[in-house]
Amino acid sequence: MKIAIDAMGGDNAPRDIVRGALAGCRKAGIEPIFVGKKECIEPELEKWGHSAADTLIVHTDEYLVEGEAPAYALRAKRSASIALCMKLVREGKADAVFSAGPTGGVVASALGYLGTVEGISRPVIGGSFLGFAPKTVIMDLGGNIDSRPDQLLDFGIVGTVFARTLLDVPNPTVALLSVGAEEGKGNETVKAAYPLFKKSGLNFIGNVEGHDIVLGKANVVICDGFMGNVLMKFCEGFGKLTARWMEKQLLGKLPEAEIAALVKTLVSKTNAAEEVGGGPLWAVNGIVIKAHGRCTWEDVARSMVETKRYADKDIVGALKKELAAVRNNLKITPEQA
Amino acid sequence: MKIAIDAMGGDNAPRDIVRGALAGCRKAGIEPIFVGKKECIEPELEKWGHSAADTLIVHTDEYLVEGEAPAYALRAKRSASIALCMKLVREGKADAVFSAGPTGGVVASALGYLGTVEGISRPVIGGSFLGFAPKTVIMDLGGNIDSRPDQLLDFGIVGTVFARTLLDVPNPTVALLSVGAEEGKGNETVKAAYPLFKKSGLNFIGNVEGHDIVLGKANVVICDGFMGNVLMKFCEGFGKLTARWMEKQLLGKLPEAEIAALVKTLVSKTNAAEEVGGGPLWAVNGIVIKAHGRCTWEDVARSMVETKRYADKDIVGALKKELAAVRNNLKITPEQA
């Protein structure tokens, strides 16, 4: 298995990207293809005892930077590193893409070169963000704003595949995030989505409320990306603040190392999205991993191991199968979807 | 000053309602008028050394219960205790209403008997829910689902009055809750509301993100009631779970009493909405306090003292003034609002 690495994307690129990819790929038993400026990549390879001659490198001078309008930037830079990565997958020369570059650029190039699976129009971003509820994923976390009811159903399908294939939950429970448990509670979108979920054949358990996320009441919690993004960031901020508060309260009462360990655990449990260091762009017709711009080499390394899992579990194939099953339950053809 | 007390509303009514109102009104120097079943109220009065003869009681056999459709219930029970409370304010016989009864019934009777201030069509519910950010209020917390851009602006006006009059912030900063700081980030409603806020004359500082709530970056954070309600409940659940986690980690390392105190502080800091024990229905043309159904007598007592503050600060008058100022900035007449 080969993975196309956007060596130029991320705050610490190419340094941390190259180092992490080398370490992670060795561990996962996969081969990296580095895409970017040869003269920047080669010295990093050598630092870690790799010769440029023995490493797959696709050279390009162009790459995307934070703050550009993605569509325009991709048109202006036809050989941007992220675009070449996608092409490698489209041409069957790589099995997955990894990038810590600008989100808009990764999404736009994934859509442009690989497209989405039939029936879902945009990538879905989701996952666990709370370590206290490790068997719960939230979909969407910011990729889709102003979602329609049928898009919420797509998130439910993606989340089901996520929980089943990556969290090993055999029959994941799915719930709509709302302001009350009863059917009929919620905003217009949630109310319209409810009957779709009921008929979908997914393991739908109805609505859950904010506190139910924390309690892990459902394996898949469905919300609009606007809500999901605010919640995720609130959780991160809340965790950090609570950890600092706890640190202050415990100072002088416990050994400093013990306090530091508690603080670290609490921050990591409430910043699960950061901890993972990246996740797949679901619904793209291919495995594309988008990592945080500020990811460290350890994050990148972990991501390589995760990507191997995504490929082994065939997440794209599993999603297509689940989509077909739900469509059959709703009696709609892919063309209508 | 007199306050009409819905003695029949709440999980522990009339017991905790009567006890709390007696204690709180004495402290605040105001007089309660108990509305409900005389034969239920009188024994409770006597328990605390009050004679029925010296207490204002408005008798009625009817009251609302949880689970009824509010509009229908109010039509079927024309003398429901909550309805009589509102009438007392409308007729100038009381200065405020307190109820821990079903939210829908309190809102519907407030609308029916008192109406809203000119230009706002529905009550707004908001306040602090995070003790770590004591000078931040969030509007709306669940009263208004599927809000329009102009309603978000109403929340901004209400929140400004809230922060200025009740939190003593002279010139409260106002922000839209969104998925990015830049103008243009957000869902359709937020994007449409942004220019309205810019022109409003409120101290608008742009968008804030989820983590900014925690950091107290704005005094007034504006969101749809759907978002606000989910966030508030998430925060409550998160706080309780984190407190339990902390308790477990500290067991055997600190004296039990110290652990218990830490747990209590953390829970109270993350359940600020519960702590307050109730808040005003903003935008109603009169002071109406809605408390949690499960409020204790201490909550009720605190609420009496708070209600006195609302009256002293003339929150309804202050809101009307702020509304007029914003309308003037936007050059719209009350009829267009």
Side-chain angles (χ1 to χ4, degrees):
Chain A
M1 174 178 165
K2 292 196 181 77
I3 178 164
I5 308 284
D6 175 10
M8 310 310 287
D11 300 350
N12 310 313
R15 195 190 59 205
D16 278 39
I17 307 298
V18 173
R19 183 179 178 187
L22 288 172
C25 286
R26 186 188 308 129
K27 199 171 166 193
I30 59 181
E31 191 176 6
I33 308 175
F34 292 101
V35 182
K37 283 189 162 202
K38 222 177 162 105
E39 61 273 30
C40 297
I41 296 168
E42 286 179 356
E44 299 298 329
L45 289 171
E46 282 157 21
K47 258 194 227 166
W48 307 104
H50 289 253
S51 80
D54 296 337
T55 311
L56 297 171
I57 301 179
V58 173
H59 172 77
T60 175
D61 279 323
E62 295 178 339
Y63 54 93
L64 302 190
V65 293
E66 203 64 62
E68 294 173 310
Y72 176 80
L74 283 168
R75 234 172 296 135
K77 303 174 182 173
R78 298 218 166 255
S79 303
S81 54
I82 184 66
L84 297 191
C85 284
M86 299 295 173
K87 275 189 196 165
L88 286 170
V89 169
R90 194 176 61 181
E91 293 163 2
K93 294 175 184 161
D95 305 285
V97 171
F98 171 91
S99 178
T103 308
V106 178
V107 169
S109 56
L111 282 175
Y113 291 99
L114 303 177
T116 50
V117 298
E118 211 176 353
I120 301 189
S121 56
R122 283 185 52 79
V124 181
I125 297 172
S128 309
F129 64 67
L130 187 60
F132 287 123
K135 295 283 184 192
T136 294
V137 294
I138 308 198
M139 297 263 160
D140 176 284
L141 289 178
N144 294 275
I145 311 289
D146 289 307
S147 309
R148 299 182 312 268
D150 62 292
Q151 287 180 297
L152 295 191
L153 182 61
D154 291 342
F155 304 164
I157 299 167
V158 170
T160 296
V161 174
F162 191 130
R164 192 187 293 134
T165 58
L166 301 180
L167 304 181
D168 298 316
V169 180
N171 188 22
T173 50
V174 180
L176 283 160
L177 184 58
S178 191
V179 295
E182 308 84 359
E183 182 169 2
K185 288 274 173 113
N187 61 15
E188 292 305 321
T189 312
V190 166
K191 286 192 272 187
Y194 199 103
L196 292 179
F197 275 85
K198 276 214 296 199
K199 280 187 291 186
S200 68
L202 297 175
N203 188 8
F204 180 56
I205 59 166
N207 293 339
V208 291
E209 300 180 73
H211 49 272
D212 296 323
I213 301 174
V214 181
L215 301 173
K217 205 165 167 185
N219 299 118
V220 183
V221 174
I222 301 303
C223 61
D224 182 79
F226 186 73
M227 169 75 85
N229 190 268
V230 169
L231 267 177
M232 178 179 71
K233 289 175 180 166
F234 178 75
C235 183
E236 289 176 5
F238 192 8
K240 284 179 187 165
L241 192 87
T242 307
R244 273 206 298 277
W245 170 83
M246 186 178 68
E247 185 176 30
K248 219 171 133 189
Q249 306 302 313
L250 296 178
L251 223 70
K253 296 181 179 169
L254 281 186
E256 273 183 37
E258 274 190 50
I259 298 176
L262 283 176
V263 166
K264 202 179 158 202
T265 307
L266 182 54
V267 170
S268 82
K269 280 201 181 292
T270 51
N271 287 259
E274 258 178 49
E275 283 298 299
V276 175
L281 288 185
W282 286 93
V284 167
N285 200 8
I287 300 178
V288 177
I289 311 306
K290 165 68 184 98
H292 280 266
R294 58 179 183 280
C295 62
T296 62
W297 75 265
E298 291 98 332
D299 295 331
V300 178
R302 256 197 309 271
S303 224
M304 299 298 113
V305 178
E306 281 297 295
T307 307
K308 178 69 168 43
R309 272 185 77 213
Y310 304 152
D312 288 346
K313 300 273 187 175
D314 184 20
I315 58 171
V316 177
L319 177 58
K320 287 178 182 171
K321 241 173 92 179
E322 192 72 39
L323 273 167
V326 170
R327 257 185 223 124
N328 187 45
N329 287 323
L330 295 176
K331 305 270 177 284
I332 50 176
T333 61
E335 292 71 40
Q336 294 173 296
Chain B
M1 174 177 165
K2 292 197 181 74
I3 178 166
I5 308 284
D6 175 9
M8 309 310 286
D11 300 350
N12 310 313
R15 195 190 59 203
D16 278 40
I17 307 298
V18 172
R19 183 179 177 186
L22 288 172
C25 285
R26 186 187 309 130
K27 198 171 166 191
I30 60 181
E31 191 174 7
I33 308 175
F34 292 102
V35 182
K37 283 190 161 201
K38 221 176 162 107
E39 61 273 29
C40 297
I41 296 168
E42 286 179 356
E44 298 298 328
L45 289 171
E46 282 156 21
K47 259 193 226 168
W48 307 104
H50 289 253
S51 81
D54 296 338
T55 311
L56 297 171
I57 300 180
V58 174
H59 172 78
T60 175
D61 279 324
E62 294 178 340
Y63 54 93
L64 302 190
V65 292
E66 203 65 60
E68 294 173 309
Y72 176 81
L74 282 168
R75 233 172 295 134
K77 303 175 182 173
R78 298 218 166 255
S79 303
S81 54
I82 184 66
L84 297 191
C85 285
M86 299 294 172
K87 275 191 198 164
L88 286 171
V89 169
R90 194 176 62 183
E91 293 164 2
K93 293 175 184 160
D95 305 285
V97 170
F98 171 90
S99 177
T103 308
V106 178
V107 169
S109 56
L111 282 176
Y113 290 100
L114 303 178
T116 50
V117 299
E118 211 175 353
I120 302 190
S121 57
R122 283 185 51 79
V124 180
I125 298 172
S128 309
F129 64 67
L130 187 60
F132 288 123
K135 295 283 185 193
T136 294
V137 295
I138 307 197
M139 298 264 160
D140 177 284
L141 289 178
N144 294 274
I145 310 290
D146 289 308
S147 309
R148 298 182 312 266
D150 62 292
Q151 287 180 299
L152 295 192
L153 181 62
D154 291 341
F155 305 164
I157 299 167
V158 171
T160 296
V161 174
F162 190 131
R164 192 188 293 135
T165 57
L166 302 180
L167 303 182
D168 298 315
V169 180
N171 188 21
T173 50
V174 181
L176 283 160
L177 184 58
S178 191
V179 295
E182 309 84 358
E183 182 168 1
K185 287 274 173 113
N187 61 15
E188 291 306 320
T189 312
V190 166
K191 286 192 272 186
Y194 199 104
L196 292 178
F197 275 85
K198 276 215 295 200
K199 281 188 291 187
S200 67
L202 298 174
N203 188 8
F204 180 57
I205 59 166
N207 293 340
V208 291
E209 300 180 73
H211 50 273
D212 296 322
I213 301 174
V214 180
L215 301 172
K217 206 166 167 183
N219 299 118
V220 183
V221 174
I222 302 303
C223 61
D224 181 80
F226 186 73
M227 169 75 85
N229 189 269
V230 169
L231 267 178
M232 179 178 71
K233 289 175 180 166
F234 179 75
C235 183
E236 290 176 4
F238 191 7
K240 283 179 187 165
L241 192 86
T242 307
R244 272 206 298 278
W245 170 84
M246 186 179 68
E247 185 176 31
K248 217 171 134 188
Q249 306 301 313
L250 297 178
L251 223 69
K253 296 181 179 170
L254 281 185
E256 273 184 36
E258 274 191 50
I259 299 176
L262 283 176
V263 166
K264 202 180 158 202
T265 306
L266 182 54
V267 169
S268 83
K269 278 201 183 292
T270 51
N271 286 260
E274 258 178 50
E275 283 298 298
V276 174
L281 287 186
W282 286 93
V284 167
N285 201 7
I287 300 177
V288 176
I289 310 306
K290 167 66 185 100
H292 279 266
R294 57 180 185 280
C295 61
T296 63
W297 76 265
E298 291 97 333
D299 295 331
V300 178
R302 256 198 308 273
S303 225
M304 299 298 112
V305 178
E306 280 297 295
T307 306
K308 177 70 168 44
R309 270 184 78 213
Y310 304 153
D312 288 347
K313 301 272 186 175
D314 185 19
I315 58 171
V316 177
L319 177 58
K320 287 178 182 171
K321 242 172 92 178
E322 191 72 39
L323 273 167
V326 170
R327 258 186 222 123
N328 187 44
N329 288 322
L330 295 176
K331 304 269 177 286
I332 50 175
T333 61
E335 292 71 40
Q336 293 173 296

